[in-house]
Structures are given as structure tokens and as C-alpha cells.
Amino acid sequence: MSGELLLVGSIPFDTPQEVFQSFGAPLGKYLFAMPDGEVGPRRHWISRVHYQVLAAHPELEIVQRPAPDENGVEQQHPRNAADAWWFKVKDGVKQVRFGDPGWRLGYARDAINSYFVFNTLKEKGVLPSHLRFQVSIPMVNSVLPPRIFPNPEDLDKIRPGYEAATCAEIATIVDKIPAKDLAIQWDCSTEVQDSYGAIPGFPLEGAIERNLSEVRNLSAHIPRDVALGYHFCFGTLGGWPRFQPNDLGQAVKLANAFVEASGRPVDWIHVPVLDRSDDQFFAPLGDLRPQGARVYLGAIHNMSRFKERIAVARKYLLEFGLGAYCGFGRQPPSELRNILNEHLQAVAIASS
């Protein structure tokens, strides 16, 4: 039964132990891998990098920060894209570099700490023995989207250094966590938006190709014994979906290109699904070429119409697993019980 469900990443409990016990225990038999919930600052995805890493970098200037709350108290996390952190590479800096390789971004530190809890709960039988530990990391172009740099020329100055820092984090993770227990997922949101020509100043022509260098430079460094996946996303900042394409055509082309560019086998692909059940939206799934990767459709939402969505999807893709459209980090914790029940309901409906 493992592999029927995918948890994208963020689950807003306070600790990994709560995540593993509350979601991993009841859903574990349906999962291939289990994330730690991206607890704490990671709940807000790339914002954590912006205020913990970029805002303190000596070669960057803060152009804008999220507005304070109604009482005038600072806020680190933006309410929407317009409220986000903005940066400028300081004059005279040709390339932004990041020190303390392997630890600077915080992903390796968090993964190693959470893996200890994960492994302990597997040994105690709380989590099933087949589960891998899933580390979800935002891809470079999603961490550094054009919208947070008013001067687009700054992207070429910072992305190579951040890519190198990300590669170093991966090296630390695979050194400290056994490959047989590990799964790494790249989270790709800006890449999807760009693939549809939806980023101002960036043309549709050449959009997919300009997002492939990060894949070629990072995925090939992940050992083949470590499972590898991609989460493609329409975005949740300011509400989901932040971006609504007319169909899955460009997302499918992007997924095919990422699989081809990875330089190693890909174990899974997650494709988000809007609340639609028309052929136009789903038909491009017929062109998906996963090359052996498990495909998960982000269809677990708006459950009154769930059955109709997956019925249309099966016309174009015979076999797929299921997940939500994204992680749950921007959902209130009070919704977690309902979210868990929706995943159990989805398994029951899909297998009936």
C-alpha cells in the first residue's frame, strides 16, 4: 500500500515528533517517505531563508521588509507577494558567496536533528519500517524569484552562490543520513510560474530551458541510493492558488524536462491540480514522460468534487498516487485534523 499518498512537506505542528505521531502513524502505510513537517520557521517556506540568511548577508541590502502587524510589531513572514522581502546586491559586488558551506542555509542542521526523532520512532514501531525520511528543499530559482530583486541583474549575481550553498547542504545531508533511509524533494514554484510565461519581464520562449541548469547542477550530486522527487507548485502565498494556468500543458513539459535533466533516476513527481474536472485541464497528462517515476496528483482538496477530478485525470494517466496541492504551512493548525481525514477519505475513494 505504500506509495499511494505523498505529503508534500509542511505540517504546522510545533515539533517533528508531533508530525510523525499525528500524520506519520495513521498515514505511514500509504506513504513512501515521511517529511518532518517543516516545523518552526520553515513553515513559511522561502521566507525563512529571506530573513535568516539573506537579510543578514553583508553583500546584500534590504529594500523592503514585511509590514508590521496592526500593533506595530515586526513581522518576518509576508502576507502576500507585494508584502515580501526585497533585496539588492550591494554596489561593487560581482558574485554573492555564502560561507560555512554545508550549514549556512540551515537545511542540513534541521534534517539531521529531525532524522534522529524519525529513526527513534521507527525503532519504537510508531512509524512503519519501510518509510524513508523526506527532506523537502526549495529549488534555487524559487528561493530567489525575480519578484524579490527589483534589479533583475542581481539574480545572476546571487543565484550561483546560493546554488553552491545548496549543493553543500545536500552533501552534508547525504553524509549524515543513511541513503537507504533518505528521500530528497525539490520544491519548484517559481519554475512552474515561469514555464507559463507568467513572470513579468521573462518571456515564454526559452522558459523551460532557463530553469534546467539548477536541476543539472544539483540533482546529479544526489546519490542514486537516495530517493529523489520534484514537487511542482502553483503557490500559496496570499492564498491558493496564487497562479492558475488554463491547463497542465507547461507543467507537464517542465516535469519531462526536469526528469531528463536530472542526470539520475527520478523516483516521484508531484503535479498540482486545480478544482476542475474538465478535459482541457487534464489532457496534457497524456504527454507526461516520468521514465519510471511515481506520479502524484495534488488533488486532495475541495473533497465534494474530488471523485470527479480523479475520474477525468484517469482518462489521461492510468496510474497515479495522491497528495494535497501543496504543504499545509499556511493553514491554521486547527485545520490539521480535517486535512488528515481528507487524506484518508481520498485513499478510500481512489481504491473503491
Side-chain angles (χ1 to χ4, degrees):
M1 301 176 74
S2 65
E4 292 186 41
L5 292 178
L6 173 76
L7 291 173
V8 171
S10 54
I11 302 172
F13 285 109
D14 292 329
T15 67
Q17 182 174 347
E18 291 175 280
V19 174
F20 296 143
Q21 291 175 328
S22 299
F23 271 69
L27 297 182
K29 64 181 179 180
Y30 304 115
L31 298 169
F32 168 74
M34 179 70 207
D36 71 350
E38 300 176 27
V39 297
R42 285 179 296 137
R43 172 182 173 182
H44 293 270
W45 202 46
I46 59 172
S47 297
R48 193 274 305 174
V49 177
H50 296 167
Y51 74 81
Q52 285 189 340
V53 179
L54 302 189
H57 199 291
E59 295 175 331
L60 299 174
E61 294 178 2
I62 298 171
V63 177
Q64 172 183 286
R65 62 178 69 233
D69 67 15
E70 61 276 8
N71 296 315
V73 178
E74 65 162 351
Q75 289 212 136
Q76 306 288 6
H77 309 296
R79 301 163 181 80
N80 50 55
D83 189 46
W85 290 89
W86 293 1
F87 299 95
K88 175 186 183 297
V89 176
K90 288 184 177 180
D91 294 340
V93 175
K94 295 181 178 180
Q95 290 290 323
V96 177
R97 296 173 296 175
F98 295 83
D100 198 13
W103 303 101
R104 176 72 169 92
L105 307 184
Y107 289 108
R109 177 200 62 226
D110 289 348
I112 293 165
N113 289 338
S114 292
Y115 174 71
F116 176 81
V117 181
F118 172 85
N119 197 47
T120 299
L121 293 179
K122 278 183 70 173
E123 291 175 347
K124 291 183 176 181
V126 176
L127 298 175
S129 59
H130 75 270
L131 273 184
R132 288 180 180 243
F133 175 62
Q134 179 179 320
V135 180
S136 302
I137 301 178
M139 202 36 125
V140 175
N141 292 352
S142 282
V143 176
L144 306 172
R147 63 180 174 81
I148 72 167
F149 289 93
N151 182 359
E153 294 180 0
D154 285 344
L155 293 172
D156 291 334
K157 296 178 181 179
I158 189 171
R159 281 178 172 175
Y162 188 86
E163 183 181 281
T166 303
C167 190
E169 297 277 325
I170 293 296
T172 301
I173 290 169
V174 301
D175 181 59
K176 301 298 183 182
I177 299 177
K180 65 181 178 62
D181 285 348
L182 183 60
I184 294 176
Q185 175 181 276
W186 294 118
D187 297 338
C188 309
S189 178
T190 294
E191 293 85 352
V192 174
Q193 188 177 2
D194 191 14
S195 74
Y196 282 88
I199 297 179
F202 288 75
L204 177 61
E205 183 179 0
I208 290 177
E209 179 59 36
R210 66 174 168 258
N211 284 286
L212 295 184
S213 63
E214 57 180 358
V215 177
R216 297 187 181 109
N217 294 340
L218 290 171
S219 290
H221 291 282
I222 299 174
R224 294 198 174 196
D225 289 344
V226 176
L228 170 65
Y230 293 96
H231 156 51
F232 298 102
C233 190
F234 295 150
T236 63
L237 181 59
W240 186 85
R242 180 167 170 260
F243 164 65
Q244 297 188 59
N246 290 327
D247 58 49
L248 289 174
Q250 290 300 109
V252 165
K253 291 179 182 178
L254 187 70
N256 288 343
F258 273 33
V259 170
E260 191 66 32
S262 292
R264 51 147 292 165
V266 174
D267 295 276
W268 78 90
I269 300 164
H270 172 269
V271 180
V273 170
L274 297 177
D275 186 16
R276 290 172 54 176
S277 55
D278 57 290
D279 288 271
Q280 175 187 338
F281 182 76
F282 286 99
L285 288 174
D287 297 322
L288 189 61
R289 302 291 178 264
Q291 299 187 34
R294 177 71 161 164
V295 179
Y296 293 91
L297 296 185
I300 303 178
H301 56 86
N302 302 90
M303 295 304 290
S304 63
R305 294 177 293 278
F306 171 80
K307 186 179 294 186
E308 288 78 8
R309 287 195 298 278
I310 63 171
V312 177
R314 280 180 175 149
K315 294 167 62 175
Y316 303 100
L317 188 67
L318 292 179
E319 294 186 10
F320 53 84
L322 294 164
Y325 50 79
C326 191
F328 318 126
R330 294 190 173 105
Q331 298 284 340
S334 60
E335 286 294 314
L336 290 176
R337 171 55 62 179
N338 182 55
I339 289 170
L340 173 62
N341 290 337
E342 287 181 343
H343 281 66
L344 294 170
Q345 181 185 356
V347 171
I349 293 173
S351 59
S352 63

